[in-house]
Amino acid sequence: MSLAHGRQYLAIPGPSVMPDRVLAAMHRAAPNIYGGALRDMTESLFPDLRRVARTTGHVAIYICNGHGAWEAANANMFARGDKALVAATGRFGIGWADSAHRMGVEAEVLDFGLNTAADPSRIAAALEADKGHDIRAVLVSHVDTATSVRSDIPAIRAAMDATGHPALLAVDCIASLGCDEFRMDDWGVDVMIAASQKGLMTPPGLGFVWFSDKALEASRRADLRTPYWDWQPRAFAEEYWQNFCGTAPTHHLYGLREALTMLLDEEGLEHAWARHATLARAVWEAFGAWSAGEDGIALNVAQSAQRSHAVTAARIGSGGAERLRTWCEEEAGLTLGIGLGMALPSEAAFGDYLRVAHMGHVNAHMVLGALTTMEAGMRALGIPHGEGGAAAAAAAIASAGSC
Ligand SMILES: *Cc1c(COP(=O)(O)O)cnc(C)c1O
């Protein structure tokens, strides 16, 4: 017997749970890509993409995943031989640095480890040391999905401004957009990237780059721009095909339309931020109880102000994380995320880490269900843990009140 039969819950940090309405919106015959309904619908996406980023700036849509969005941003910000300063708080920051490096950009990495936010004063010190202003952009992950570390973007902007250095601030919001509070214009972000399959609740396949006028100006000298990745024709298209440099990603666009309506017009972005904050607290409370008196169990990020509201990375030692993931999937229909970048898959410690996603189309009963399932799994497997995790999560939900 397995108790996994029934609706599966994919609680990995992307792709996230897709609303049935998004899937239904995509279920249609191939539309004409030369005019009519598809073109009108696509036009409506651009203002809403600005709303979700809280910007009046520009946005380009690409047919790609997050790795493609990294390249898109790099291609438009840099010329070959330019320098980037990368604030790394986990595997994804390193990944963006690698992408820039392999495109011919010199990437200076400030490594903040795996448990703490990027330190604005170290970023400022690196900029101050760059007397010749060779650094063209500072690349930061808002949330590094591997570690679940969240960095303080306004604090980084303030530290950059205090140096008077002209570098652009470019932020990877692939994991955080639609989940954690983010305000591109108020926070002085020049370039921001996201992808469809996390907080935006749409299948993987769309990447987005938002950019300010300052970034547009800076891009004019970026010689890494190739026809496909150039943001200019996409953001300022005169003909519909230019929005996508060829055939439009027709069905993804219909899915995204539905997701943005749900997020912006029905729930409201600020309510979505509050929902994610509360769901995250429930996860932290459960781990707080499980880790009490246990060396083996710990949240990856000690300071709650530095934790993502979309995903939580944690350690369950002695291989407990891997055994628990397997149990949850096989016995209960719940798929948790693997530990990423904490140890190599070949290393013993790999089995000590997991991630719980609580991003996008996820509500209280799903998170409580996931946490209670994890507690059941720890009991079934004999993994030592403190009592009362599920109850602590329930209390966090109960005390949140309605918003
Ligand atoms: C998921 C993610 C990526 C990579 O996205 P892919 O679609 O897997 O290429 C990059 N950065 C962050 C912060 C992410 O969460």
Side-chain angles (χ1 to χ4, degrees), residues 13-14 64-70 92-93 96 141-146 172-176 193 195-198 204-206 311 355 359:
C64 67
N65 60 16
H67 283 66
W70 281 337
F92 287 91
W96 199 359
S141 310
H142 185 207
V143 163
D144 195 299
T145 321
D172 175 350
C173 290
I174 294 173
S176 58
I193 63 171
S196 49
Q197 77 272 23
K198 298 191 184 179
L206 297 178
V311 56
R355 291 173 299 159
M359 59 171 56

Side-chain angles (χ1 to χ4, degrees), residues 47-73:
D48 280 353
L49 287 170
R50 289 189 183 89
R51 281 167 76 198
V52 78
R54 294 281 163 114
T55 183
T56 58
H58 317 291
V59 57
I61 308 175
Y62 296 86
I63 303 175
C64 67
N65 60 16
H67 283 66
W70 281 337
E71 286 204 29

Side-chain angles (χ1 to χ4, degrees), residues 42-194:
T42 302
E43 268 173 27
S44 79
L45 292 173
F46 286 93
D48 280 353
L49 287 170
R50 289 189 183 89
R51 281 167 76 198
V52 78
R54 294 281 163 114
T55 183
T56 58
H58 317 291
V59 57
I61 308 175
Y62 296 86
I63 303 175
C64 67
N65 60 16
H67 283 66
W70 281 337
E71 286 204 29
N74 295 340
N76 287 282
M77 288 191 293
F78 299 116
R80 210 167 298 274
D82 276 355
K83 202 164 168 188
L85 182 66
V86 186
T89 53
R91 185 63 221 119
F92 287 91
I94 301 289
W96 199 359
D98 281 349
S99 162
H101 171 70
R102 292 185 61 188
M103 292 171 78
V105 176
E106 190 189 329
E108 178 184 343
V109 177
L110 294 178
D111 192 341
F112 295 98
L114 300 174
N115 316 97
T116 52
D119 176 355
S121 67
R122 278 182 61 195
I123 294 171
L127 292 177
E128 262 157 10
D130 177 40
K131 300 292 180 214
H133 292 175
D134 294 328
I135 295 171
R136 294 284 170 180
V138 177
L139 315 185
V140 187
S141 310
H142 185 207
V143 163
D144 195 299
T145 321
T147 55
S148 68
V149 168
R150 178 161 52 91
S151 289
D152 185 341
I153 303 302
I156 291 170
R157 175 80 262 175
M160 289 174 65
D161 286 347
T163 68
H165 194 291
L168 301 172
L169 173 58
V171 183
D172 175 350
C173 290
I174 294 173
S176 58
L177 194 71
C179 308
D180 282 280
E181 178 178 356
F182 180 83
R183 301 172 186 273
M184 180 163 170
D185 289 0
D186 290 353
W187 293 2
V189 173
D190 297 299
V191 174
M192 189 273 278
I193 63 171

